[in-house]
Amino acid sequence: MKALGIIFSNIHERDIPELTKVRTLASVPFGGRYRLIDFVLSNMVNSGITNIGIIAKYNYQSLMDHVQSGKSWGLARKNGGLTILPPFNDASGGGVFNNRFEAIKSVSSFIRHNEADYVVMADCDIVCNIDLAPALKAHEKNNADITLVYRKKKIDASDTYRLVLDTDANGKVTKVNMNDGAAGEKKVYTDFMIISQRKLMYIIENSDKWGIKSFSRDILSNIKEYSVYGYEQDGYYAAINSLTDYYKHSMDLLDPDVVRELFYKGGAEIYTKVRDSAPAKFTDTALVRDSMIADGCIIEGEVENSIIFRGCHIAKGAKVTNSIIMQDSRIDTGSTLNCVIMDKAAHVLDGRLLSGHPTHPYYIEKESVI
Amino acid sequence: MKKKQCVAMLLAGGQGSRLKALTTTVAKPAVSFGGKYRIIDFPLSNCSNSGIDTVGVLTQYQPLVLNEYIGTGESWDLDRKNGGAHVLAPYQAKKGARWYEGTANAIYQNIQFLDKYDSEHVLILSGDHIYKMDYSKMLAQHIETDADITIAVIDVPMDEASRFGIMSYDKNFRIFDFAEKPKEPKSNHASMGVYLFKKDVLVRMLTEDDADPDSEKDFGKNIIPKMLAENMRVFAYQFEGYWKDVGTLKSLWEANMDLLGINPVFSLYDGAWKIYSGNDAYPPALLLTKNGCVTNSIVTEGDIISGRVVNSVIGEGVTIGEGAVIENSVVFSGTVIGAGSKLSYAIIDENVTVGENCIVGEGKASPDKITLIGRNSVVPDGTTLDCGSITEAE
């Protein structure tokens, strides 16, 4: 049973314009030392998928810089490994892809040339530690065309554009629709999809003839034509669909139980690009409470309930609370930050006072000086 | 294959018996240092940063951890098509099997490796020291002086000089006197155990030395004195900077403490001269203390700290329970310190479990009375370990 992974690096990036202005969603920094793509990439590797294509669209330099040859994920391989699939115009001059199905169509030769039984598709907005091997087994056992990984979740207004599923006693999907916003526990599709390779190629080859333009509208909803099953994923799972989500789910990491589940469950590890930072250093004036501190930091000031990425310097007399400080940022003496998301390599000078609110964190752009 | 200008041979087979329980199951170069490093990271990173891309690592004593750690050399950017890191273990040959008998003999037995790369020069290193050094500067001087051998020297305090190989050199850096651990040292220029040879000279000296039944097969005791006696071109390269022999518990502890502070004695926060290491996939450290009690210390990724840490170095993936107090100590990776336990002047090796409410370093603990707990040990709840004691796993 061979599976090919396909990762969409940019599908949700319009949801977080602040963080994706200078990068693709896949390379949004998360959790002190990671990029969002590390989670789905590591999940696939830990599930035994060692042949993975990443579909890129805009701003993918930061992504290429991050994944390089795939070495850090054990994906620099003779057979398979990691391939970045850049966008291109087709001969008809139709422009680059506009949605998931067009994106898949544009990489159909990559899928055809990699002899796999199944294609596992995923997005980059998901933070979880999921083993896809049992889902692949279930897909095979059910003799399914498509398996949709879902989680049971109490719906709120922010999830309105997610697909929700109804399944029968055997797990077969009986209905797929956009969440109408009605409250209650629903089976929410995670955007992890397993599809049989031959079926996918068959659909792509006939898509013009059949007028298929979209996965959700033309394929997933057509449960009479295709055998679609659901697979439930439980455990910690966060979808990052807004700056508020980003803030909220980052703060989840200050809970050691979340950390144990996300980074250690079943011995599965989350890999990221190796940076070779020295360990974090705390001076005799450091005062740190309930925080996550990455390697390479020098902490001289006060930090509370915050996440400090690699290589940051918090000077003596600076105070950082309820904030996320991304890699290589500096906060100088006497500054106070509360509910701030500070992007990469930014610099807050002496004596500044900056504050947001948990539902509206104050965002500081990459490399800016305040 | 393109010829190399210089290849390095790293002597990593030593036991390091003065490190006691730390080297019961691992060779000294594999002993942990500074939170996420092993001692061997320093010479290997120096090679990588100095542009030396071919390194033979000679292993013998307890090589398992070391071999696994070196792997393909990828961690130090030494996985190369032409060259790279190679582990060289003792082997069986037609005329019999020999262990490495002394530093010179270890290199002698690997002349095939030197012949394969056939470099002009060979750099001999040891896996016992913590330092950052640009070997390319030494190589430049070696070539300029047309030396047969260049020996790196560092000035040490005069009262410690009798612990080292001591050299005297003239104004052109040509060495005229060398004494291994002299009782009455004539200078304070100490050998760092870093030798740069012309390859053909090295091969000739090693071959002659091997044929000499009275030789101890040692660079310091035999090869260098012989080269001086034969009036060969023996030069010193004067090194300035931090260099620490970490052969004893006290010196290993001191070297760890040298990393602390905003202006440390020895800094690892130098972007231009990174020290590389095997990187494990740990998330960043979590500090869960309500009172904010990590001061003047180093904390590494994977740590979950609920206790108090003062003047200490904490390795990767260490868990420290609530109310525990770690003072003036070095804790290696993967260790768990139970709630309420107190550590003072302790070195705790990898994957140790210290139970709850233990006292480690009871009595007048000091850098001279370091309490050591060996790899994989389990210390039951409520145990008191006297300062200076050594605990080993069975």
Side-chain angles (χ1 to χ4, degrees):
Chain A
M1 184 170 70
K2 270 171 76 180
L4 171 71
I6 296 283
I7 297 174
F8 299 89
S9 67
N10 74 307
I11 290 276
H12 301 280
E13 68 192 13
R14 283 190 208 134
D15 301 339
I16 323 178
E18 298 90 346
L19 298 175
T20 55
K21 190 177 157 191
V22 291
R23 53 174 81 88
T24 178
L25 185 76
S27 46
V28 166
F30 188 82
R33 60 174 248 168
Y34 302 96
R35 305 279 185 154
L36 283 178
I37 196 172
D38 293 340
F39 293 91
V40 57
L41 210 47
S42 302
N43 286 172
M44 283 188 177
V45 169
N46 291 332
S47 306
I49 302 171
T50 53
N51 191 0
I52 299 173
I54 303 175
I55 298 183
K57 190 173 182 187
Y58 306 120
N59 271 339
Y60 56 88
Q61 273 176 24
S62 63
L63 173 67
M64 293 183 72
D65 176 56
H66 181 64
V67 299
Q68 293 177 324
S69 64
K71 213 180 203 180
S72 299
W73 297 266
L75 288 172
R77 309 185 77 90
K78 279 226 156 119
N79 297 311
L82 187 99
T83 312
I84 290 192
L85 304 163
F88 58 88
N89 264 316
D90 60 16
S92 64
V96 299
F97 58 84
N98 291 307
N99 68 17
R100 196 185 299 269
F101 187 72
E102 286 180 21
I104 274 290
K105 235 174 122 172
S106 76
V107 299
S108 59
S109 64
F110 173 76
I111 296 171
R112 192 169 51 238
H113 290 145
N114 283 282
E115 283 183 13
D117 304 310
Y118 308 106
V119 178
V120 178
M121 293 187 230
D123 293 352
C124 283
D125 62 332
I126 288 156
V127 176
C128 66
N129 191 349
I130 172 178
D131 185 0
L132 294 162
L136 279 161
K137 275 210 187 82
H139 180 86
E140 195 175 40
K141 192 174 130 251
N142 293 332
N143 202 14
D145 293 326
I146 296 171
T147 297
L148 303 175
V149 178
Y150 67 86
R151 65 195 166 118
K152 285 188 182 145
K153 186 178 183 269
K154 286 211 175 75
I155 288 294
D156 60 39
S158 67
D159 280 307
T160 46
Y161 72 102
R162 290 263 164 188
L163 290 176
V164 295
L165 319 174
D166 288 340
T167 54
D168 66 15
N170 300 321
K172 196 163 194 302
V173 173
T174 53
K175 202 174 162 195
V176 178
N177 37 7
M178 288 297 242
N179 176 37
D180 52 13
E185 193 181 73
K186 300 270 174 69
K187 290 170 178 168
V188 182
Y189 173 45
T190 61
D191 292 329
F192 272 107
M193 180 200 297
I194 300 166
I195 183 163
S196 300
Q197 196 254 17
R198 285 168 70 183
K199 197 70 169 185
L200 177 63
M201 292 315 298
Y202 182 62
I203 294 169
I204 290 172
E205 277 155 21
N206 292 289
S207 59
D208 288 341
K209 197 163 64 192
W210 297 343
I212 289 175
K213 292 203 169 84
S214 150
F215 267 108
S216 53
R217 201 187 57 213
D218 301 326
I219 303 171
L220 303 185
S221 311
N222 195 353
I223 54 159
K224 288 200 185 74
E225 188 68 35
Y226 306 105
S227 165
V228 182
Y229 278 78
Y231 180 85
E232 188 184 344
Q233 152 72 7
D234 52 11
Y236 183 81
Y237 177 100
I240 312 291
N241 295 315
S242 67
L243 196 64
T244 312
D245 275 354
Y246 176 84
Y247 180 81
K248 179 172 165 272
H249 294 307
S250 292
M251 291 303 167
D252 287 348
L253 301 179
L254 299 180
D255 177 349
D257 292 336
V258 170
V259 166
R260 284 187 191 108
E261 176 168 355
L262 195 50
F263 299 103
Y264 298 100
K265 187 173 69 181
E269 295 173 324
I270 305 298
Y271 307 101
T272 189
K273 182 183 171 185
V274 168
R275 190 177 141 136
D276 288 296
S277 306
K281 183 181 284 189
F282 297 71
T283 66
D284 45 14
T285 52
L287 190 58
V288 182
R289 306 179 181 107
D290 290 320
S291 292
M292 178 175 250
I293 313 281
D295 277 357
C297 288
I298 298 180
I299 313 285
E300 297 181 83
E302 208 175 314
V303 179
E304 186 173 354
N305 205 39
S306 296
I307 293 174
I308 315 290
F309 282 65
R310 286 182 164 181
C312 290
H313 183 194
I314 314 293
K316 202 161 137 181
K319 189 174 177 185
V320 178
T321 53
N322 308 310
S323 294
I324 298 164
I325 311 296
M326 291 188 201
Q327 59 270 40
D328 302 316
S329 288
R330 283 161 61 196
I331 297 165
D332 289 352
T333 309
S335 283
T336 301
L337 277 67
N338 180 43
C339 293
V340 168
I341 296 176
M342 189 161 163
D343 209 322
K344 195 179 160 178
H347 186 185
V348 172
L349 301 173
D350 285 355
R352 306 294 194 263
L353 183 64
L354 301 164
S355 184
H357 185 269
T359 56
H360 292 81
Y362 180 74
Y363 174 73
I364 298 172
E365 278 189 23
K366 183 181 168 183
E367 289 166 9
S368 57
V369 178
I370 292 195
Chain B
M1 192 169 73
K2 201 163 176 285
K3 212 172 152 175
K4 303 271 176 195
Q5 188 184 33
C6 184
V7 303
M9 299 294 269
L10 175 47
L11 297 159
Q15 179 183 355
S17 54
R18 288 175 302 156
L19 288 175
K20 304 199 164 79
L22 291 179
T23 54
T24 301
T25 56
V26 306
K28 179 167 154 188
V31 168
S32 296
F33 178 79
K36 64 184 284 191
Y37 305 97
R38 297 188 188 275
I39 296 169
I40 198 170
D41 288 333
F42 290 83
L44 286 177
S45 300
N46 288 340
C47 282
S48 189
N49 290 330
S50 302
I52 293 171
D53 63 9
T54 306
V55 185
V57 182
L58 291 88
T59 61
Q60 175 157 291
Y61 176 80
Q62 286 285 3
L64 180 67
V65 173
L66 196 55
N67 288 353
E68 190 198 354
Y69 188 65
I70 293 163
T72 61
E74 181 190 325
S75 300
W76 306 272
D77 210 13
L78 290 172
D79 51 333
R80 303 296 176 98
K81 269 234 145 84
N82 174 13
H86 298 258
V87 172
L88 302 171
Y91 56 88
Q92 204 167 29
K94 204 165 186 183
K95 55 182 177 179
R98 278 172 90 181
W99 291 104
Y100 293 154
E101 301 146 9
T103 52
N105 179 257
I107 307 290
Y108 172 75
Q109 291 201 44
N110 286 288
I111 284 179
Q112 280 179 61
F113 179 82
L114 297 178
D115 284 341
K116 172 179 154 66
Y117 286 102
D118 196 25
S119 60
E120 289 167 54
H121 306 282
V122 178
L123 178 67
I124 312 281
L125 302 168
S126 67
D128 304 353
H129 305 116
I130 302 295
Y131 66 120
K132 292 190 282 193
M133 179 173 176
D134 187 347
Y135 303 132
S136 68
K137 290 182 181 162
M138 182 176 176
L139 180 62
Q141 186 199 299
H142 177 72
I143 291 167
E144 198 190 304
T145 55
D146 191 31
D148 290 319
I149 178 177
T150 302
I151 302 168
V153 299
I154 185 160
D155 292 350
V156 295
M158 206 64 204
D159 57 339
E160 290 178 26
S162 58
R163 288 174 39 217
F164 298 94
I166 293 297
M167 268 157 291
S168 305
Y169 56 78
D170 66 17
K171 63 181 187 333
N172 298 318
F173 297 104
R174 186 153 182 178
I175 296 171
F176 55 83
D177 186 71
F178 175 92
E180 185 70 22
K181 297 182 180 142
K183 285 207 177 73
E184 286 169 23
K186 291 178 195 158
S187 85
N188 66 338
H189 305 311
S191 167
M192 297 165 64
V194 174
Y195 312 121
L196 192 46
F197 280 90
K198 275 184 186 150
K199 188 229 162 190
D200 50 359
V201 171
L202 175 66
V203 170
R204 191 174 78 235
M205 295 311 295
L206 291 176
T207 309
E208 286 174 18
D209 183 66
D210 192 64
D212 176 0
D214 298 329
S215 170
E216 289 178 54
K217 319 279 190 257
D218 186 87
F219 280 104
K221 288 179 192 146
N222 308 105
I223 304 281
I224 297 167
K226 191 168 180 224
M227 290 178 80
L228 276 171
E230 291 179 10
N231 205 23
M232 294 173 79
R233 294 183 67 79
V234 181
F235 282 78
Y237 172 78
Q238 184 74 46
F239 175 75
E240 312 270 338
Y242 184 88
W243 178 83
K244 183 100 179 168
D245 182 287
V246 286
T248 63
L249 288 180
K250 186 185 178 187
S251 62
L252 181 67
W253 178 87
E254 283 171 348
N256 275 285
M257 295 299 136
D258 285 344
L259 303 172
L260 301 180
I262 194 72
N263 296 307
V265 181
F266 183 55
S267 176
L268 298 173
Y269 297 79
D270 179 357
W273 203 269
K274 262 191 185 173
I275 302 302
Y276 306 104
S277 65
N279 280 270
D280 289 320
Y282 285 112
L286 267 186
L287 279 76
L288 302 171
T289 52
K290 299 291 167 201
N291 317 317
C293 278
V294 176
T295 52
N296 194 36
S297 292
I298 278 176
V299 165
T300 315
E301 290 183 334
D303 294 344
I304 299 183
I305 299 179
S306 310
R308 192 173 138 83
V309 178
V310 185
N311 303 334
S312 295
V313 175
I314 311 295
E316 287 177 317
V318 172
T319 304
I320 298 175
E322 267 180 61
V325 181
I326 318 288
E327 283 180 321
N328 303 309
S329 295
V330 182
V331 180
F332 294 175
S333 299
T335 282
V336 177
I337 310 288
S341 288
K342 310 254 183 290
L343 273 65
S344 178
Y345 293 96
I347 296 178
I348 315 294
D349 205 341
E350 293 173 53
N351 303 319
V352 167
T353 303
V354 175
E356 294 182 4
N357 302 310
C358 294
I359 296 173
V360 178
E362 167 78 352
K364 283 189 181 157
S366 74
D368 292 309
K369 284 212 153 188
I370 284 169
T371 312
L372 175 63
I373 304 181
R375 212 177 162 86
N376 303 328
S377 300
V378 176
V379 178
D381 291 354
T383 306
T384 295
L385 296 172
D386 289 338
C387 63
S389 66
I390 295 172
T391 305
E392 272 195 83
E394 279 161 24

